[in-house]
Amino acid sequence: MPAPHAAPVLDTVSHAADDPGRELPWAELGLKSEEYQKIREILGRRPTGAELAMYSVMWSEHCSYKSSKVHLKQFGEIPQETPVGPMLAGIGENAGVLDIGQGYAVTFKIESHNHPSYVEPYQGAATGVGGIVRDILAMGARPIAVMDSLRFGPLDADGDTRRVLPGVVAGVGGYGNCLGLPNIGGEVVFDESYLGNPLVNALCVGVMRHEDLHLAKASGAGNKVIMYGARTGGDGIGGASILASVTFDEDGPAKRPSVQVGDPFMEKLLIECTLELFAAGIVAGIQDFGAAGISCATSELAAAGDGGMHVELDKVLLRDPTLSPEEILMSESQERMMAVVEPGDVDTFLAICEKWDVEATVIGEVTGDGRLVVDWHGETIVDVDPRTVAHDGPVYQRPLARPDWQDALQADGSGALARPASEEELRETVLRLAASPNLCDRSWVTDQYDRYVRGNTVLAQPSDSGMIRIDESTNLGVSVATDCNGRFAKLDPYAGAQLALAEAYRNVAAGGAVPLAVSDCLNFGSPEDPAVMWQFAEACRGLKDACLALGIPVTGGNVSLYNQTAETPILPTPVVAVLGVVDDVTKRTPSAWPSVEGDQPGHRVFLLGETREDLDGSEWAHVVHGHLGGLPPAVDLDAEKRLAALLHEGGQELGLLASAHDLSDGGLAQALVESALGNLCGVRVDLAGVHADPFVALFAETPGRVLVSVAAADVDALTDLAARHDVPLTGLGVTGGDVLVVDGGFEINLLELRSAWMATLPVAMA
């Protein structure tokens, strides 16, 4: 997300659908009347058509963050330092960059491509992956892995989910697979609120040496501006910038031409070409082309530099020669980059591009006058201060108000819901939840992704965390997880954002990593709804407070608003990605306990953390009763820090932990299911020490808990470790056999359990 910049704060004025201004050209570009007047004041004259096009896309909600800046600025209050050292680049850059030791740095970021993925699922998702990969590339890093956080309407929604889901998954897999980037994890969530407005959030991780860091700025008068990559076409004109800044009506959008079209093979060439350009030391500044296309790349490069820029737009290579200058400025054609190069290096730059069969052309130069000037066949069509385009757009103090229905929602807890009354009903509930859309096996999705290409994937676990090796000689690696429970966020958006962070933090720690930093993708409804803005403001405040408590910074991210159909917003969905560093990936802690062969003794299973009666907003209430109400679980961030420290020491330093699986959706029951099915190894557990009520013990979703297993010889060491870190430890049982057994209750054969868990998505998608 961009760094906040000083700009006048405007009072928002809602415009009725019959506003006569809607008939004016500026209104057709998505600008409001007061925004158009502000442009005239900035320029001191009426804008040209090209200037109007440039301001309209750059001042769109998607590009300018005009409704969210006032809330995002609080992330700047968080110290920009990770647990292992200072950040090398943070908020305001294309992506955050972190020092992970041994001279290495990693960069990561998550962004949305929601509305385009509903209009055209395959291309919308594919170009979402392509865009985030170029953000990472533009920092000077080699992209090494991707993840995706996906949300759809109900799995059985024939006219929506069954159209969108296959296309999105194919787009994510098709683009990433062609790039040779492993997909190492993510989420797939289903809920009624995402019907007609799916969420497609894509994440990329890149690695570089410290000295390879590059920034997006145009400095040095006389330096040349070069566009390289794919030619500019008519696809994506006003796509991500304008399409993502409006609300769908009940009939859905009719904006298919606004969706970009991706070419992953061109992007692969662009990646390798760019990395060779970096290695040659001839790139003085660089910017990828994302939303707003040339308008964005030129204005942001010039605004971040110490001069200005002069561009000859007619030198841009086109796929469609009939494009007008306004269309060229707004086009969001994919696989394009812009570089600033010293004059003496231009020939070398062009030769490297030619080697990789990447078209490149000099379209302008850096100037010293502080202006962005664009000519078209000798006529000046843009003459602006680039900061007014890139940074000094309107900042809205949107009205916000806690909704009238919030008290009633929170008062409607799950206490009155019917609970399983017998051991057999408990057994059936375990099976039902394991087979539910949000907890079932994700292989139908992940099998379409290449998770192990390039050979450095250590862990590719959907719904938990992914891990990838950075250095083969030292086994240094990183772990990444994305998480969010939108139901919790609706019950209490402040707590919901903190719970999302805590879960991702815990997932990264469970593998043995030290959590370092956050990237977020904040998905909400219309900012013109005061209730939505209250949710957004509370989520930002919750995330900031949680980052301060955990001692990790926000490196950047994305805001996606207008995620609603007609008057119905999605669940507030502040997706949080956490990245952690792993000293030695060969010592990573698996999520499933080991199998038991022959007469070998089983591993001892323990629960770390305390269990409370946290059932409001739970998967049990959602699946069994279709209920949402009450208060989300209370998160103890200090306890999360102590737990993470235990997991790192017990895994990486002491090698005690044979497995570690966090408890979240579905509670202990689902953690037992996934830990057992990982290696088809059963377990016998006693729930008496967890909670007096076996139902609560199994299905409560209290945060700050992890299911671990250790060899019998390591039980005392684990007990001492838990005591030192002040983490509650409860013995559950022993692994072995082919049955999940709850003493005094029920048992489920693992083949029956696996059949229920694996069948849901393939049957639904058949």
Side-chain angles (χ1 to χ4, degrees):
M1 58 190 60
H5 291 272
V9 176
L10 306 180
D11 291 327
T12 55
V13 180
S14 60
H15 291 260
D18 60 353
D19 183 348
R22 304 305 298 176
E23 303 301 322
L24 299 174
W26 47 263
E28 292 300 312
L29 291 172
L31 290 167
K32 297 183 183 297
S33 60
E34 64 269 26
E35 294 171 346
Y36 176 69
Q37 290 305 318
K38 184 171 184 248
I39 294 169
R40 293 197 62 160
E41 291 171 11
I42 288 170
L43 297 176
R45 56 175 170 79
R46 188 174 181 177
T48 66
E51 290 168 339
L52 195 60
M54 181 174 280
Y55 277 106
S56 72
V57 290
M58 290 301 294
W59 284 16
S60 68
E61 192 71 61
H62 185 78
C63 294
S64 74
Y65 294 77
K66 58 191 175 186
S67 297
S68 54
K69 277 183 180 178
V70 294
H71 303 289
L72 298 177
K73 65 182 180 181
Q74 63 191 298
F75 294 148
E77 300 171 19
I78 306 167
Q80 298 296 286
E81 187 167 317
T82 78
V84 300
M87 285 170 42
L88 304 181
I91 294 174
E93 299 297 339
N94 281 308
V97 181
L98 315 170
D99 178 2
I100 60 167
Q102 301 180 31
Y104 283 106
V106 292
T107 175
F108 81 120
K109 189 179 182 183
I110 184 169
E111 284 198 339
S112 63
H113 226 223
N114 301 337
H115 285 186
S117 297
Y118 181 70
V119 177
E120 177 51 68
Y122 184 94
Q123 291 294 352
T127 53
V129 173
I132 196 65
V133 167
R134 290 193 303 279
D135 274 342
I136 296 306
L137 177 65
M139 298 307 299
R142 173 177 284 280
I144 58 170
V146 294
M147 298 180 75
D148 55 275
S149 179
L150 311 176
R151 282 162 175 80
F152 304 98
L155 184 56
D156 57 0
D158 289 347
D160 188 274
T161 303
R162 293 186 186 175
R163 175 186 73 88
V164 177
L165 172 60
V168 165
V169 171
V172 170
Y175 205 100
N177 293 351
C178 290
L179 292 183
L181 293 177
N183 190 309
I184 60 172
E187 307 169 86
V188 183
V189 177
F190 300 92
D191 186 87
E192 182 77 26
S193 79
Y194 305 116
L195 189 67
N197 203 127
L199 302 185
V200 177
N201 297 175
L203 177 147
C204 184
V205 181
V207 63
M208 70 183 90
R209 303 296 293 180
H210 288 190
E211 60 270 19
D212 293 334
L213 176 64
H214 282 74
L215 300 177
K217 61 179 181 179
S219 298
N223 285 346
K224 301 303 180 182
V225 177
I226 301 178
M227 269 187 70
Y228 67 107
R231 291 193 171 210
T232 298
D235 56 310
I237 293 177
S241 52
I242 293 179
L243 181 59
S245 303
V246 296
T247 299
F248 289 166
D249 61 28
E250 291 180 341
D251 297 323
K255 295 179 177 286
R256 192 173 303 272
S258 292
V259 177
Q260 306 93 325
V261 177
D263 179 354
F265 300 106
M266 181 69 247
E267 179 120 336
K268 177 61 175 172
L269 293 174
L270 191 63
I271 290 171
E272 301 304 329
C273 176
T274 301
L275 291 172
E276 184 166 337
L277 292 168
F278 289 152
I282 57 174
V283 177
I286 191 163
Q287 175 71 48
D288 74 300
F289 283 71
I294 294 175
S295 295
C296 177
T298 54
S299 62
E300 290 197 347
L301 275 170
D306 52 17
M309 184 183 294
H310 176 237
V311 173
E312 296 180 67
L313 195 64
D314 47 285
K315 291 187 176 180
V316 173
L317 299 177
L318 302 177
R319 294 203 311 268
D320 179 357
T322 68
L323 292 178
S324 69
E326 292 84 0
E327 290 172 322
I328 296 170
L329 286 170
M330 296 175 72
S331 171
E332 294 177 8
S333 294
Q334 296 292 287
E335 294 87 39
R336 298 179 299 164
M337 303 284 283
M338 180 173 285
V340 177
V341 181
E342 292 184 3
D345 293 328
V346 169
D347 289 345
T348 303
F349 189 104
L350 297 177
I352 291 174
C353 289
E354 185 177 6
K355 168 188 170 181
W356 287 100
D357 199 21
V358 171
E359 288 190 308
T361 185
V362 177
I363 67 165
E365 68 177 20
V366 178
T367 63
D369 59 7
R371 305 291 291 179
L372 172 59
V373 177
V374 179
D375 291 347
W376 175 252
H377 294 293
E379 178 186 354
T380 297
I381 59 172
V382 172
D383 185 350
V384 299
D385 178 342
R387 288 188 61 86
T388 67
V389 178
H391 300 310
D392 296 340
V395 178
Y396 286 157
Q397 185 74 56
R398 297 279 190 187
L400 55 87
R402 190 174 188 271
D404 295 338
W405 44 260
Q406 195 74 36
D407 286 339
L409 179 70
Q410 292 184 342
D412 182 23
S414 60
L417 302 179
R419 300 181 176 186
S422 66
E423 288 79 6
E424 182 58 29
E425 289 184 356
L426 278 175
R427 181 184 189 277
E428 291 304 313
T429 304
V430 172
L431 284 167
R432 181 174 178 183
L433 261 66
S436 65
N438 288 337
L439 299 180
C440 69
D441 175 43
R442 298 298 194 246
S443 294
W444 185 89
V445 172
T446 58
D447 284 353
Q448 298 184 51
Y449 305 152
D450 191 334
R451 290 171 283 168
Y452 300 99
V453 64
R454 301 183 69 87
N456 282 316
T457 302
V458 180
L459 181 66
Q461 190 69 33
S463 302
D464 291 326
S465 64
M467 188 181 294
I468 192 157
R469 180 189 294 107
I470 298 297
D471 188 305
E472 294 187 15
S473 63
T474 65
N475 288 314
L476 179 71
V478 294
S479 177
V480 191
T482 67
D483 285 293
C484 181
N485 186 319
R487 296 193 303 274
F488 288 165
K490 184 167 185 179
L491 296 179
D492 183 338
Y494 178 89
Q498 296 196 331
L499 286 161
L501 171 56
E503 184 179 350
Y505 182 93
R506 193 183 324 121
N507 267 320
V508 165
V514 175
L516 296 186
V518 165
S519 180
D520 59 70
C521 197
L522 307 176
N523 305 271
F524 288 79
S526 171
E528 298 169 47
D529 181 342
V532 168
M533 282 311 299
W534 174 79
Q535 292 173 332
F536 181 83
E538 285 294 286
C540 289
R541 187 172 67 90
L543 185 57
K544 182 259 296 187
D545 288 349
C547 285
L548 286 171
L550 293 174
I552 59 175
V554 174
T555 65
N558 176 233
V559 174
S560 177
L561 301 176
Y562 291 100
N563 289 293
Q564 63 184 62
T565 302
E567 300 301 315
T568 305
I570 61 166
L571 291 173
T573 312
V575 172
V576 177
V578 171
L579 180 141
V581 63
V582 187
D583 301 326
D584 185 347
V585 298
T586 66
K587 297 179 180 178
R588 67 100 173 169
T589 306
S591 60
W593 49 66
S595 58
V596 176
E597 304 295 337
D599 296 331
Q600 290 179 341
H603 282 72
R604 305 305 167 93
V605 178
F606 291 86
L607 179 63
L608 297 169
E610 292 182 324
T611 300
R612 301 184 299 270
E613 193 164 336
D614 290 312
L615 292 156
D616 293 350
S618 68
E619 200 66 32
W620 166 77
H622 174 66
V623 171
V624 176
H625 295 284
H627 178 271
L628 177 59
L631 293 170
V635 60
D636 183 339
L637 296 169
D638 186 60
E640 294 281 4
K641 286 183 72 173
R642 298 196 306 273
L643 177 61
L646 180 155
L647 292 166
H648 174 72
E649 185 178 349
Q652 286 284 299
E653 296 180 15
L654 301 178
L656 294 177
L657 303 180
S659 70
H661 193 302
D662 94 299
L663 273 65
S664 52
D665 297 348
L668 176 60
Q670 188 65 18
L672 289 168
V673 167
E674 294 178 4
S675 296
L677 292 181
N679 291 305
L680 275 184
C681 179
V683 68
R684 176 180 290 272
V685 297
D686 183 346
L687 302 177
V690 179
H691 195 278
D693 184 344
F695 166 74
V696 174
L698 285 169
F699 300 110
E701 295 185 5
T702 307
R705 299 183 297 161
V706 171
L707 184 68
V708 299
S709 67
V710 297
D714 292 328
V715 169
D716 289 344
L718 177 64
T719 303
D720 292 342
L721 182 66
R724 278 198 291 110
H725 287 279
D726 192 21
V727 174
L729 179 70
T730 303
L732 293 181
V734 182
T735 66
D738 58 3
V739 180
L740 168 59
V741 180
V742 175
D743 278 349
F746 60 89
E747 62 181 57
I748 308 174
N749 184 278
L750 294 190
L751 293 180
E752 179 186 4
L753 185 59
R754 184 175 66 171
S755 177
W757 180 65
M758 294 184 67
T760 306
L761 280 178
V763 169
M765 291 295 105

